[in-house]
Amino acid sequence: MTAHDTATAARVRALVAEELPRLVGIRRDLHMHPEIGYEEYRTSQVVVRELSDAGVAYAAGLAGGTGVLAHLPGEGARAVALRADMDALPIVERSGREWASRTPGRMHACGHDGHTAILIGTARVLARLAAERTLPHPITLVFQPAEEGGGGGKRMVDEGALDGRHFGPPVDRAFALHGWPDLPLGEVGTRRGAMMAASDRFEVHVSGTGAHAAWPHRSADPVVCAAAIVTALQSIVARNVDPLDAAVVSVTVMQAGEAMNVIPDRALLRGTYRSLSEETRSMLERRMTEVAEGVARAHGCTARCECIRGYPVTVNDDGAVAQFEQVARATLGDARVRTIAAPVMGGEDFAFFGPHASACYWALGLARPGIGCPALHAPDFDFADEALPTGVELMCRLALA
Ligand SMILES: [Zn+2]
Ligand SMILES: [Zn+2]
């Protein structure tokens, strides 16, 4: 690092420390007032209030009304994007915290309150830095709604978050973080290639012939057929997926019949399938269709398999990962930067940023020493405030690198 870089790094750390008490207050306030996907109106207002207070330019009301895009000018022809998701989950909170949800059935169980507070903090620190010196790149901050299945990230991208339509030049590099319960506080990590799985769902509609339950020979029983399809679907991951690849086919809903003494004429299966490459994703879809249709034929029924695509694979770009690792080591020291060994089969809509910018999705440690951290989406989860300064400092340094 040059003397100039060292001075900037020290200044960032000092500014993060100054902003921290405010950010802890914001994080707990957001936790207390969780809003699910596309309903983040209050959250969006908090973001806008904090950006205005710091003198950061923004465009609000995106992606259905709650998305916010903010921008800091800088030198250079390409911008760096930093993204946070703002939505909560339909879960009843049992964290017992003083700042637990005040809205029954709504909870920040995935830590997006922490992500939002970190990006607010990053905007505020960078704005203060920009008042002292010219930033090396224009910086675009994406506050997206509806990560939990609603595809808010895709809508932000479709509405021009990365292409320079609203502010500054187009984005060519993008970073997003997620709180990581398995990683100790103060540590961060990422991996090259696939980081999060493609997350898709399917439905199998089985049609047969109903009959009196005592005359099964007059039926083409869709219940027995659906049960056979559930079993046969398990062979796809076991027999069609390369053992060194990974995939999931889970049937999670099975519906048929109304009466104990009637064989119904239809059955419905629903579930999710996950994969780590486009090839495997397409193969799963082809095989699920073949297996469902073939097994149904063997039972004298018909089956229609419908595959509904959700989020694609979140793929980390090698160059963006290399930059993340270099900046993280310089900021936190070598010992605090890990390589995440394996991808996670959860989905993530930061995946939609990848085709437009070289992207890196990284993990921010949340596990307290000797205590750990509850799982994401668990009713006792709470984002660790101790992770806020690491998150803000590293996001700032990534934006300045
Ligand atoms: Zn989640
Ligand atoms: Zn999440």
Side-chain angles (χ1 to χ4, degrees):
M1 287 205 296
T2 65
H4 180 265
D5 291 341
T6 309
T8 302
R11 186 69 186 128
V12 166
R13 184 160 288 183
L15 289 171
V16 172
E18 284 179 30
E19 290 288 332
L20 189 58
R22 184 184 186 105
L23 297 180
V24 171
I26 291 169
R27 205 288 296 177
R28 293 179 181 184
D29 173 68
L30 294 177
H31 193 89
M32 227 186 285
H33 300 99
E35 297 168 302
I36 59 167
Y38 296 121
E39 294 180 7
E40 309 92 338
Y41 292 101
R42 184 184 181 281
T43 308
S44 183
Q45 281 169 9
V46 170
V47 170
V48 163
R49 181 192 75 207
E50 293 300 312
L51 294 172
S52 305
D53 180 76
V56 178
Y58 64 86
L62 279 77
T66 55
V68 181
L69 196 63
H71 189 76
L72 291 151
E75 289 170 16
R78 306 292 282 184
V80 177
L82 309 175
R83 169 282 217 174
D85 38 14
M86 303 186 289
D87 55 324
L89 285 155
I91 292 175
V92 177
E93 178 158 358
R94 288 201 304 267
S95 73
R97 295 283 196 275
E98 207 179 301
W99 51 87
S101 170
R102 299 282 167 91
T103 311
R106 298 284 184 269
M107 178 188 174
H108 268 298
C110 205
H112 299 183
D113 49 341
H115 305 171
T116 304
I118 286 170
L119 200 58
I120 288 172
T122 303
R124 294 182 61 88
V125 167
L126 291 172
R128 290 178 65 183
L129 198 70
E132 300 166 5
R133 63 200 79 183
T134 308
L135 301 180
H137 318 282
I139 296 160
T140 295
L141 304 142
V142 184
F143 295 88
Q144 73 151 83
E147 191 286 322
E148 299 283 1
K154 181 176 191 306
R155 286 182 72 169
M156 292 296 284
V157 171
D158 289 348
E159 292 181 22
L162 306 180
D163 66 12
R165 208 180 303 174
H166 300 274
F167 298 108
V171 165
D172 73 346
R173 188 147 287 191
F175 296 95
L177 67 77
H178 206 293
W180 216 257
D182 294 338
L183 204 60
L185 274 169
E187 297 191 13
V188 300
T190 190
R191 71 189 313 278
R192 283 170 169 71
M195 176 86 174
M196 305 287 286
S199 167
D200 306 310
R201 62 197 174 88
F202 67 93
E203 294 183 357
V204 179
H205 300 263
V206 181
S207 297
T209 306
H212 192 297
W215 283 269
H217 57 292
R218 293 185 183 169
S219 76
D221 188 344
V223 176
V224 174
C225 176
I229 291 173
V230 172
T231 306
L233 287 174
Q234 304 312 308
S235 72
I236 298 173
V237 172
R239 300 291 81 179
N240 301 134
V241 176
D242 183 330
L244 298 179
D245 190 4
V248 174
V249 176
S250 291
V251 178
T252 52
V253 173
M254 196 173 180
Q255 288 170 343
E258 304 279 352
M260 172 274 294
N261 53 1
V262 179
I263 295 170
D265 64 357
R266 71 194 64 182
L268 173 67
L269 303 174
R270 299 171 68 195
T272 180
Y273 59 105
R274 311 281 170 112
S275 52
L276 295 173
S277 71
E278 281 303 315
E279 298 75 53
T280 303
R281 191 185 198 190
S282 302
M283 186 276 288
L284 293 179
E285 292 168 347
R286 181 174 54 77
R287 287 295 294 147
M288 287 195 302
T289 303
E290 289 171 358
V291 166
E293 290 177 357
V295 171
R297 204 158 39 245
H299 284 77
C301 298
T302 58
R304 182 170 55 82
C305 180
E306 203 181 327
C307 295
I308 304 125
R309 288 196 162 194
Y311 299 166
V313 184
T314 303
V315 181
N316 279 342
D317 173 78
D318 285 354
V321 170
Q323 184 175 47
F324 170 82
E325 287 177 339
Q326 188 207 334
V327 172
R329 289 196 178 107
T331 307
L332 306 172
D334 290 352
R336 293 182 178 276
V337 183
R338 303 259 196 111
T339 297
I340 304 289
V344 174
M345 298 312 282
E348 165 59 59
D349 80 347
F350 185 61
F352 291 107
F353 286 55
H356 304 275
S358 68
C360 174
Y361 184 73
W362 58 278
L364 175 67
L366 296 181
R368 294 192 170 97
I371 299 171
C373 175
L376 298 174
H377 295 204
D380 57 341
F381 179 85
D382 184 41
F383 189 92
D385 288 319
E386 304 96 299
L388 294 173
T390 308
V392 176
E393 186 177 4
L394 195 43
M395 277 302 199
C396 289
R397 295 282 299 268
L398 288 166
L400 297 168

